[in-house]
């Protein structure tokens, strides 16, 4: 595709740069409108500058991707309500054998959960669990936060629903869920293992320091808090032992007081007192019977509520498993996710608004603006011209070509972000590989998915998962920790290059 007119090239480039700046740095001082508004602004400028028409802008919005993204977000909300991520968090500390075992568990659980519930969701939910475990074992948080974010990115590469760029690739390439998983799973498994080993080697000395004294202090403190809660001064008097001196003295004082009172009152008063005492005893008997009758009924109600909750959770898990099976059977991914989401709303049997309010509609709107902006930038002819220059060196049937293609994807994913990179390069990379064979076309799509996803580990700004972990850790109440850009970069550059290279040899 040749370059458009100079005016369209300049105006389209301006609109794309504005979109890129606001997407990568959403709090820029000169226009602090945020990432979503920046995406819409870029798309609107493409139409206003007449780089594309309004009809072309609407046509650029891919409803299949938006439907799939919406459905998976709703399913993730219900899984969170069903305590799925709470159980995953408990697995992190269950029968732990030390810091090195913990960091391996973080890598494994983060990768698996991200493959099926998206990397962003896993990072949002698991960050606080990781911080609590690090504090409980008196360990530095940053190796575990790096393990969570990097493994989430690597694990999400294995499935079409693991991250947004894979959603785009799955829809555009029409590769089935099963073939996608089969093609990248070996690379994902080896990538998670290598990433965990790299973390262990890099932080071996730091993870070998165990401060047992502080762990004991934390346990003693927790026990003291528990005891003070259970045995408050207001309730201690009701549990005085019968044979204690204080209890005997109380009984003596009460008996002396009763004798003096009896001697000092008339017989009529004494009789009325006896009657009133008899009526009180009868009332106490009735109230005790009522309590004995109500306690079993309350227990039955609690048992019924508990079983209803277990049944509902089981339904949520079964629907999720059914969705994954349907995806493996190559049913339409978008409608499968939406159907699973609607099934969970119906089974919940209550107003779905609270659950739907947790869906990130700003992300859906961001995608709409991004689709329009990228389509407008494509119309300028700049991406095609640059690709024409790189195409002879990026042939998929040569090792050198795969290496150069991977470097291009890696650099663009960190400069432009991974989803726009997939939208800009996807069709061109596939067309180049299709000229060789159909198998190479499929491999090209999978290489694009693998490299654009793992590229997110290169720097703190490389993927949304990294930013989510950083922000969640910083804002966690009483557990706040700031993951710096340079501490991430020191780990991210070598890990990304090694994991990417190893994965490329295993993609089928």
């Amino acid at each position: 595709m040749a370059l458009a007119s100079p005016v369209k090239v300049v105006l389209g480039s301006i609109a794309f740069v504005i979109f890129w700046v606001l997407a990568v740095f959403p709090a820029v001082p000169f226009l602090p409108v945020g990432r979503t508004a920046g995406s819409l602004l870029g798309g609107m400028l493409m139409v206003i500058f007449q780089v594309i028409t309004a009809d072309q802008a609407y046509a650029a919005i891919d409803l299949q991707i938006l439907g799939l993204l919406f459905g998976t977000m709703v399913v993730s909300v219900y899984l969170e309500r069903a305590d799925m991520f709470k159980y995953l968090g408990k697995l992190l500390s269950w029968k732990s054998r030390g810091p090195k075992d913990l960091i391996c568990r973080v890598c494994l659980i983060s990768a698996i959960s991200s493959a099926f519930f998206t990397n962003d969701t896993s990072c949002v939910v698991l960050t606080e669990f990781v911080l609590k475990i690090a504090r409980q074992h008196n360990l530095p948080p940053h190796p575990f936060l790096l393990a969570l974010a990097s493994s989430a990115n690597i694990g999400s590469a294995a499935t079409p629903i693991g991250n947004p760029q894979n959603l785009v690739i799955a829809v555009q390439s029409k590769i089935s869920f099963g073939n996608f998983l089969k093609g990248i799973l070996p690379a994902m498994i080896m990538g998670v293992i290598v990433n965990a080993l790299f973390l262990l080697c890099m932080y071996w000395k730091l993870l070998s320091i165990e401060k047992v004294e502080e762990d004991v202090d934390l346990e003693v403190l927790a026990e003291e808090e528990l005891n003070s809660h259970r045995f408050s001064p207001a309730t201690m008097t009701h549990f005085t032992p019968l044979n204690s001196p204080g209890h005997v003295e109380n009984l003596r004082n009460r008996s002396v007081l009763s004798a003096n009172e009896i001697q000092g009152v008339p017989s009529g008063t004494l009789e009325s007192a006896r009657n009133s005492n008899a009526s009180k005893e009868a009332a106490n008997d009735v109230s005790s019977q009522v309590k004995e009758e109500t306690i079993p009924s309350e227990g039955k109600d609690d048992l019924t509520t508990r079983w209803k909750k277990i049944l509902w959770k089981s339904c949520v898990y079964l629907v999720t498993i059914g969705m994954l099976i349907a995806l493996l059977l190559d049913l339409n991914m978008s409608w499968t996710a939406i159907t699973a989401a609607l099934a969970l709303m119906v089974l919940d049997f209550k107003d779905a608004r609270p659950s739907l309010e947790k869906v990130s509609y700003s992300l859906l709107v961001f995608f709409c603006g991004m689709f329009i902006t990228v389509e407008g930038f494509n119309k300028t002819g700049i991406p095609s011209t640059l690709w024409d220059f790189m195409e002879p060196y990026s042939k998929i049937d040569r090792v050198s070509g795969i290496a150069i293609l991977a470097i291009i994807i890696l650099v663009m994913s960190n400069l432009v972000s991974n989803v726009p990179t997939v939208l800009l390069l996807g069709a061109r990379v596939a067309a180049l590989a299709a000229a060789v064979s159909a198998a190479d076309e499929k491999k090209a799509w999978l290489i694009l998915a693998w490299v654009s996803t793992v590229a997110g580990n290169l720097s703190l700004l490389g993927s949304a998962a990294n930013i989510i972990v950083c922000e969640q850790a910083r804002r966690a109440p009483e557990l706040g920790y700031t993951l710096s850009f340079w501490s991430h970069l020191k780990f991210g550059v070598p890990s990304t290059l090694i994991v990417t290279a190893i994965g490329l040899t295993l993609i089928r």
Side-chain angles (χ1 to χ4, degrees):
M1 179 180 176
L3 284 173
S5 63
V7 175
K8 281 190 176 182
V9 170
V10 172
L11 294 177
S13 299
I14 291 172
F16 186 79
V17 168
I18 290 173
F19 157 77
W20 177 80
V21 170
L22 295 177
V24 178
F25 307 103
V28 291
F30 66 86
L31 196 62
V33 296
R35 184 176 285 112
T36 302
S39 173
L40 287 176
L41 179 61
M44 182 197 70
L45 289 176
M46 288 292 184
V47 177
I48 290 177
F49 293 159
Q50 296 183 355
V51 179
I52 57 174
T53 65
D55 292 336
Q56 288 174 333
Y58 284 122
I61 299 173
D62 197 321
L63 294 178
Q64 285 196 65
I65 295 172
L66 295 180
L68 182 55
L69 191 59
F70 171 79
T72 52
M73 283 194 290
V74 173
V75 172
S76 296
V77 169
Y78 279 96
L79 282 170
E80 186 179 356
R81 281 184 52 196
D83 295 333
M84 166 64 78
F85 296 99
K86 180 181 176 182
Y87 299 143
L88 289 176
K90 287 182 178 179
L91 280 175
L92 292 177
S93 58
W94 181 67
K95 293 185 179 179
S96 171
R97 298 183 180 179
K100 301 177 185 69
D101 176 45
L102 276 174
I103 207 162
C104 291
R105 290 190 188 198
V106 171
C107 291
L108 181 63
I109 291 173
S110 174
I112 294 174
S113 62
S114 297
F116 297 104
F117 311 122
T118 74
N119 54 353
D120 294 354
T121 302
S122 298
C123 290
V124 166
V125 180
L126 293 177
T127 299
E128 193 168 345
F129 284 110
V130 169
L131 286 172
K132 286 180 179 178
I133 290 169
R135 182 184 180 185
Q136 181 183 353
H137 293 82
N138 197 33
L139 295 168
H142 67 272
F144 298 92
L145 294 175
L146 289 173
L148 174 62
S150 59
S151 299
N153 286 326
I154 296 170
S156 69
T159 63
I161 60 174
N163 54 59
Q165 62 268 21
N166 281 12
L167 297 177
V168 176
I169 290 171
V171 172
Q172 291 188 352
S173 67
K174 296 181 172 55
I175 299 175
S176 67
F177 188 95
N179 287 332
F180 199 106
L181 179 64
K182 187 168 62 176
I184 296 188
L185 185 61
M188 185 273 271
I189 294 173
M190 188 55 66
V192 172
I193 294 172
V194 171
N195 188 62
L197 290 174
F198 192 82
L199 282 164
L200 288 173
C201 293
M202 189 169 182
Y203 297 104
W204 184 269
K205 290 183 179 179
L206 201 60
L207 296 173
S208 299
I209 300 173
E210 297 183 14
K211 299 181 182 179
V212 182
E213 295 132 0
E214 295 195 16
D215 286 344
V216 173
D217 292 339
L218 286 173
E219 291 177 3
V220 171
L221 180 61
E223 187 176 355
E224 287 177 356
E225 289 178 354
L226 180 63
N227 291 338
S228 65
H229 177 71
R230 284 183 178 175
F231 306 107
S232 61
T235 57
M236 279 294 288
T237 55
H238 298 287
F239 295 98
T240 308
L242 290 175
N243 57 354
S244 66
H247 186 78
V248 174
E249 187 64 28
N250 286 338
L251 287 178
R252 286 175 182 171
N253 292 336
R254 287 173 62 189
S255 64
V256 172
L257 180 62
S258 301
N260 292 335
E261 287 175 351
I262 291 172
Q263 290 175 2
V265 294
S267 59
T269 307
L270 182 62
E271 186 66 27
S272 63
R274 287 175 181 171
N275 293 335
S276 64
N277 288 336
S279 62
K280 287 179 181 178
E281 290 176 0
N284 289 335
D285 292 339
V286 172
S287 64
S288 63
Q289 289 178 1
V290 171
K291 286 181 179 178
E292 289 175 358
E293 291 176 358
T294 55
I295 288 172
S297 64
E298 289 177 359
K300 289 179 181 177
D301 292 340
D302 292 340
L303 187 63
T304 304
T305 304
R306 194 179 307 154
W307 276 107
K308 284 182 179 179
K309 192 172 182 180
I310 292 172
L311 180 62
W312 181 77
K313 286 183 179 181
S314 302
C315 290
V316 173
Y317 300 148
L318 287 173
V319 169
T320 305
I321 293 171
M323 181 189 77
L324 295 176
I325 292 172
L327 291 173
L328 288 170
L329 293 175
D330 201 17
L331 297 180
N332 184 280
M333 287 190 289
S334 178
W335 282 108
T336 298
I338 293 173
T339 302
L342 289 172
L344 291 174
M345 293 179 203
V346 173
L347 288 171
D348 196 24
F349 206 68
K350 60 177 68 171
D351 188 2
R353 183 173 59 183
S355 296
L356 290 175
E357 286 175 350
K358 294 182 179 181
V359 173
S360 179
Y361 294 102
S362 61
L363 180 61
L364 298 176
V365 175
F366 172 81
F367 263 76
C368 292
M370 182 179 62
F371 287 140
I372 298 170
T373 305
V374 172
E375 177 66 17
F377 191 57
N378 277 328
K379 293 290 184 183
T380 63
I382 295 175
S384 298
T385 303
L386 294 175
W387 179 250
D388 290 340
F389 175 74
M390 297 300 300
E391 182 178 352
Y393 310 101
S394 307
K395 294 194 180 290
I396 201 82
D397 55 345
R398 296 198 302 261
V399 175
S400 60
I402 293 175
I404 292 173
L405 178 63
I407 292 171
I408 294 170
I409 299 170
L410 194 69
V411 172
M412 284 191 64
S413 295
N414 279 274
L415 290 178
V416 185
S417 187
N418 41 29
V419 180
T421 297
V422 168
L423 290 171
L424 289 169
L425 293 181
R428 295 173 177 85
V429 171
L432 177 63
V436 181
S437 69
D440 283 330
E441 181 184 2
K442 176 185 169 185
K443 185 178 179 180
W445 282 112
L446 295 179
I447 287 174
L448 181 61
W450 172 253
V451 179
S452 64
T453 301
V454 179
N457 287 336
L458 190 71
S459 70
L460 189 61
L461 301 174
S463 76
N466 298 344
I467 298 172
I468 287 170
V469 169
C470 181
E471 288 299 307
Q472 291 286 109
R474 186 174 62 84
R475 296 177 182 177
E478 300 180 2
L479 301 169
Y481 179 83
T482 301
L483 183 64
S484 69
F485 179 87
W486 294 110
S487 65
H488 187 284
L489 192 69
K490 184 172 64 174
F491 157 78
V493 172
S495 172
T496 302
L497 295 177
I498 294 170
V499 170
T500 302
I502 292 174
L504 286 173
T505 64
L506 298 172
I507 290 176
R508 301 182 183 279

